[in-house]
Amino acid sequence: MPRPAAAPHRILHMIGNAHIDPVWLWQWPEGFAEARATFASAIDRMAEHPRFVFTCDQVALLAWVEESDPTLFEAIRKRVAEGRWVNVGGWWVEPDCNLPTGESFVRQGLYGQRYLREKFGVAATVGLNADPFGHHANLPQILRQQGMEAYCFLRPGPHEAELPGNPFWWESPDGSRVLAYRIPHEYCSPRADIAYHTDKAIAQLPPGLTTAMVFYGVGNHGGGPTKANLASIRRLDELGAYGELRLSSPPAYVEDVKNSGAEIPTWRGDLQHHAAGCYAAHSGIKAWVRSAEHALMTAEKWATVAAHVAGTRYPHEELTHAWKQVLFNQFHDILPGTSIEPAYDDARDQLGEARSIARRTVNLALQTIARDVDIPFGEGDQPVMVFNPHPWAVRTYVECEFGLSGERGRVEDAEGRPVPVQYAQALATTSNPRRLVFPVDLPPLGYRLYRICPGDAPTSAAGPSAASPSAASPSDPGSQTVVENAHLRVEVDPTTGWLRSLVDKSTGRDLAHGVNRPHTVVTDDPTDTWGHRVVSYAKPGTPFTARSVRLVEHGPVRSIVRIESTYGASTLVEELVLAADARHLEVRVTLDWHERLKLLKLRFPTALRRPTATYEIPYGHLERPADGAEEPGQTWVDVTGELPDGSRAGLTVINDAKSAYDVSTSAGAVPDTSGAVPDTSGAVPDTSDAAEGTGDIGITAARSPVYAWHEPRELDADQLGPASPYSFQDQGRQQFRYLLVPHAGDWGAAGVVRLAAELAQRPVAMYESFHAGTRPPTASFVAVSDGPVVPTVVKRAEEGGGHVVVRAYESTGVAGTMRLDLPFLGRTVEADFGPHEIRTFLVPTAAGEPVVAANLLEDPSEPSGP
């Protein structure tokens, strides 16, 4: 039956889909079953309705069906060939689109798109993340390099972000852009008539649109388009009130837009955000995922090197499996901490498997490399090989523990030069535990041999130690609260348990001068697991109470001040570690948290006025307002501003486990000059405008909502006592580290990005034996030039062992050049990078073949240098 002539001249592309949460209020085996049932239903609807088109995303679900139901999978393949089953998204799952590393977003598409090409002969051209809670600013660049020209999403909704139109061009900082479309109203619909659903969708569209998409189908627990859905679409199309209702797909809509010639506005930056509390919910899953990501990147580097220099098998299948375990657990109801509690038992096991594969890979690679190092016999010596996973030189310290009857208190490098050393607190509680700490100078992505030798034991606060003029030490040998080295001076206020002073000696500036705001802030948090409707957690609260501040270790390698604090039933231990020549302060945190419906912020108050806040995002960075908003971030946040004397300075906080931050401007700070360090610059501090406000960085260290608690459901107030049937998140002990990096006003020049990588991927110290070998005591396999370009990946190419893949990105927003030497291959990669650009290279292992630039799917493009 034709539409009435008076019907609007508008086409609604009706997108039949089934958003499937493989994990949420259920565990993954139930999600597995729902995917199979939903896909079978979609195939049945195609048999009943010749024009019906089904849109599918999340490649992991297709892989599940291929594994469990080959007949159904073959039916899907036939419908794909007909054009009636349309695969979009191109990613392994719909992940959280803020918290994973940049490399994880690359792997989502690398494994997803390559699977679609292998199984169906065609990859996705339209990205789809219907349900995640926000989207980082670098996604357009990543999507374009994965072969996708458009992107569909639901959140942030109209009440959370006012966009310039729908559709719009979404442009990332490097200039890449995709056609973006915000799904109006909802991605799923009721089981029956969808007239009301369509009304609500049209109401959210800009006026005057002649073409749009409306998503329909039963979702979340699967289901897909129903018979009643399709019957109502036919009825509504014949009535004509909406115009033409066309059973369609996102790629068809994109083609309509491209052919329309319509002027399309542009949006630059990220698309944020919904449910800010999910960036801190469930500390465990955040830490497990980040650890696994970096463990796998480390494993790939060492496996690649070992395969070429020691003949070790590259474990491609095992590493791919491990990556897919990580990618699956980045799903937007797992990584944000919003699933039921048993789902995290599954996640812990799956991520543990991934980390175990990575560790086995690293161990085998390092053992086979070390096997061939020439290590002459030394009476009573214990050889130690220290391996650096980064393609730049790293100076740090390592700890080695052994339980032997003989005293070994000296350390030498391979040339026999003495190395400073001190004792640390042993991990073992036995009759004769020994733990030594010593500094190491490591070549780029390589190793250096050290020896622990017999001799006089050092003396230190944790045991015997020797003095050294370059040591991190107290200004007053009897002091428990002041430590300093050649670069930093740190003073702790014993009454507050936090920094009274943080002096960068290169500038003489004290970033904490006159600041008396608390470092720990506990607030009531009555919001649900997602933190729906929350804008900021930067609120006044109650600090932990400092119980003890004492110097627990002091020697030529480092000094440690241990701060112990309490709040309610919870304890917090922060160990401030100042290494002898470090330009940053390391803090090791042990939090034993037993509060419910409360939130802990670690705050880092500074004396910096008019602050600029910069957050690390996946493979990049972004400035955001210093307005106290709860924001997602990667490993670091920086605040840069003016000190009272008018000079520029900044503080970067880097951490290895947390993802929820704020930067706020605290007005009305009362200057505290008691015990303040004199300003060595000669300038007179200006405190006349203290009320103007100075910048604080906040990290949400713990949230304790009830698992999978979603408003408007309210908790029963009578069941919140000690015997509560509810299960609260973040209960118990957790450990993480962070770095405080003061700088003169340019975080890029301070080496923040490389420091963050060093915190995430640490050197490995490994005991060795004496043996003859062909390798020298020190070697480097990959080395990058100084500059803003940061290599992140060295791996075997997906197509086989003929090429090595190298990936790097420009990290500061300024164009730069990279020279990357790969002596283990006898090759060099030289390339220019635009601001914020991510680049991938295929490096042939065969001599004479050129290095080739590639996209993120490892498809080659043009030759690039020698």
Side-chain angles (χ1 to χ4, degrees), residues 74-364:
E74 186 57 34
I76 293 171
R77 285 168 54 93
K78 291 178 180 177
R79 294 305 190 181
V80 170
E82 293 174 2
R84 296 182 59 199
W85 182 293
V86 179
N87 290 312
V88 298
W91 286 2
W92 199 246
V93 296
E94 284 191 21
D96 178 271
C97 291
N98 280 305
L99 304 183
T101 61
E103 187 56 27
S104 286
F105 288 101
V106 172
R107 300 306 172 99
Q108 288 283 354
L110 178 69
Y111 300 128
Q113 290 282 63
R114 294 181 73 90
Y115 180 94
L116 294 178
R117 290 199 307 208
E118 177 188 347
K119 304 298 181 180
F120 304 105
V122 59
T125 60
V126 176
L128 174 63
N129 277 304
D131 202 20
F133 313 136
H135 312 262
H136 72 82
N138 258 340
L139 275 180
Q141 179 179 190
I142 292 171
L143 290 163
R144 288 310 298 258
Q145 288 204 42
Q146 293 172 340
M148 286 177 273
E149 60 180 341
Y151 187 65
C152 301
F153 64 99
L154 177 71
R155 302 185 180 95
H159 61 295
E160 294 162 328
E162 185 177 347
L163 300 176
N166 200 17
F168 58 95
W169 290 116
W170 184 20
E171 186 173 299
S172 60
D174 78 308
S176 302
R177 65 181 189 174
V178 292
L179 184 73
Y181 183 83
R182 177 160 62 189
I183 298 168
H185 180 49
E186 264 290 358
Y187 52 77
C188 56
S189 67
R191 295 178 178 275
D193 189 278
I194 63 169
Y196 178 77
H197 172 78
T198 307
D199 286 340
K200 297 291 285 185
I202 291 175
Q204 287 190 9
L205 293 170
L209 280 182
T210 58
T211 184
M213 284 190 285
V214 175
F215 283 61
Y216 73 96
V218 179
N220 291 333
H221 199 261
T226 65
K227 295 179 180 181
N229 288 164
L230 291 165
S232 70
I233 290 173
R234 179 176 179 179
R235 180 180 66 83
L236 294 170
D237 179 54
E238 292 174 351
L239 290 174
Y242 301 127
E244 179 185 351
L245 275 63
R246 180 181 298 174
L247 300 178
S248 187
S249 67
Y253 165 77
V254 170
E255 283 303 309
D256 261 12
V257 172
K258 287 164 57 177
N259 295 332
S260 70
E263 185 173 341
I264 299 172
T266 299
W267 174 274
R268 297 177 178 87
D270 53 11
L271 290 168
Q272 306 293 12
H273 47 67
H274 175 88
C278 69
Y279 305 128
H282 202 295
S283 293
I285 188 65
K286 272 72 168 176
W288 304 336
V289 165
R290 187 178 295 180
S291 172
E293 290 171 316
H294 287 285
L296 287 170
M297 285 187 274
T298 298
E300 288 174 335
K301 286 182 275 192
W302 284 121
T304 302
V305 169
H308 288 275
V309 305
T312 310
R313 181 184 71 87
Y314 187 91
H316 177 73
E317 291 185 6
E318 295 94 321
L319 290 173
T320 298
H321 171 72
W323 266 113
K324 288 177 180 178
Q325 293 284 60
V326 173
L327 300 180
F328 179 79
N329 283 286
Q330 292 170 346
F331 180 73
H332 60 258
D333 278 316
I334 302 176
L335 181 52
T338 52
S339 290
I340 57 174
E341 187 173 13
Y344 293 98
D345 295 334
D346 298 335
R348 179 201 59 220
D349 294 346
Q350 292 162 358
L351 292 166
E353 180 191 20
R355 288 186 291 177
S356 180
I357 290 170
R359 186 166 186 179
R360 289 200 305 270
T361 300
V362 169
N363 180 66
L364 179 60

Side-chain angles (χ1 to χ4, degrees), residues 30 59 69 206 226 251 256 289-290 425 427 515 646 788 798 809 865:
E30 187 171 338
V59 173
D69 194 337
T226 65
D256 261 12
V289 165
R290 187 178 295 180
Q425 177 66 47
L427 299 180
V515 176
E798 294 299 305
Y809 75 103

Side-chain angles (χ1 to χ4, degrees), residues 141 173-175 810-816 833-838:
Q141 179 179 190
D174 78 308
E810 194 290 307
S811 65
T812 65
V814 178
F833 282 69
H836 310 280
E837 187 176 14
I838 307 164

